Amino acid sequence: MSCGKHHDSGNCVCDILKEIVAAQNDVLSDCNTSCEQSIGDLLGDTGGSGRDTVPVLLYCKGNCKPFKGFGARRDSIEDIKGSYYFRVKDVDKDCCATIELLRDPHDNDEDPDSPVKQFTKYLKATGICISVDLDCFCHVTCLPAITALS
């Protein structure tokens, strides 16, 4: 798969995330790239049925560092949490995305220093969503598909 084979916005990160959204929505109603493999797992093409999320890491343009998002649930604004891992909820025609923070409920570090220090064994959807401009990112890493919504 090339970068987002079903879309052609001219933005590779945007196109991949649009493809992930489409695959995730389908689930709910040896030289493969990590994103292609994860999308295949999500759709059950490669034996990964029962999964509903492709966790992604995004890398900012310029410094090429992993992006960490922050937010709080509506009912606990005093409890700000950070995460490097996201579930793509939506990508609009202008490549603006709504992404949901994924966190392991056993991780007590609300502000992890790096993606490798954040707990990932039981990543779950948090209900904390943020909006991002995908033109600000130069790279996306897809992790293996998981069940994050239950």
Side-chain angles (χ1 to χ4, degrees):
M1 164 168 72
S2 63
C3 194
K5 68 179 177 181
H6 297 295
H7 306 280
D8 190 19
S9 71
N11 179 315
C12 181
V13 172
C14 179
D15 293 344
I16 286 287
L17 296 187
K18 283 181 179 181
E19 196 163 328
I20 289 169
V21 168
Q24 288 175 167
N25 289 342
D26 285 346
V27 169
L28 296 175
S29 58
D30 256 56
C31 232
N32 291 329
T33 65
S34 63
C35 292
E36 181 175 354
Q37 181 68 41
S38 296
I39 291 168
D41 288 347
L42 185 72
L43 295 175
D45 295 344
T46 54
S49 62
R51 298 183 176 129
D52 55 35
T53 299
V54 174
V56 297
L57 287 146
L58 298 168
Y59 295 81
C60 297
K61 279 185 181 175
N63 66 12
C64 208
K65 292 188 183 214
F67 172 72
K68 180 170 44 171
F70 295 91
R73 293 184 57 84
R74 176 181 278 190
D75 57 350
S76 58
I77 190 144
E78 71 283 355
D79 190 19
I80 304 291
K81 296 190 184 302
S83 181
Y84 289 97
Y85 301 95
F86 304 98
R87 180 178 198 277
V88 186
K89 302 286 283 182
D90 187 45
V91 180
D92 72 14
K93 64 179 177 51
D94 297 320
C95 287
C96 291
T98 301
I99 57 177
E100 181 174 9
L101 277 67
L102 296 174
R103 290 190 43 93
D104 183 322
H106 303 102
D107 190 351
N108 294 322
D109 184 357
E110 294 180 349
D111 186 13
D113 290 335
S114 76
V116 297
K117 291 187 178 180
Q118 184 174 344
F119 289 9
T120 57
K121 187 171 184 178
Y122 302 106
L123 285 175
K124 295 292 179 191
T126 61
I128 301 169
C129 294
I130 61 176
S131 298
V132 295
D133 180 347
L134 296 177
D135 288 330
C136 297
F137 300 103
C138 63
H139 173 81
V140 58
T141 296
C142 301
L143 298 178
I146 61 170
T147 303
L149 299 179
S150 59

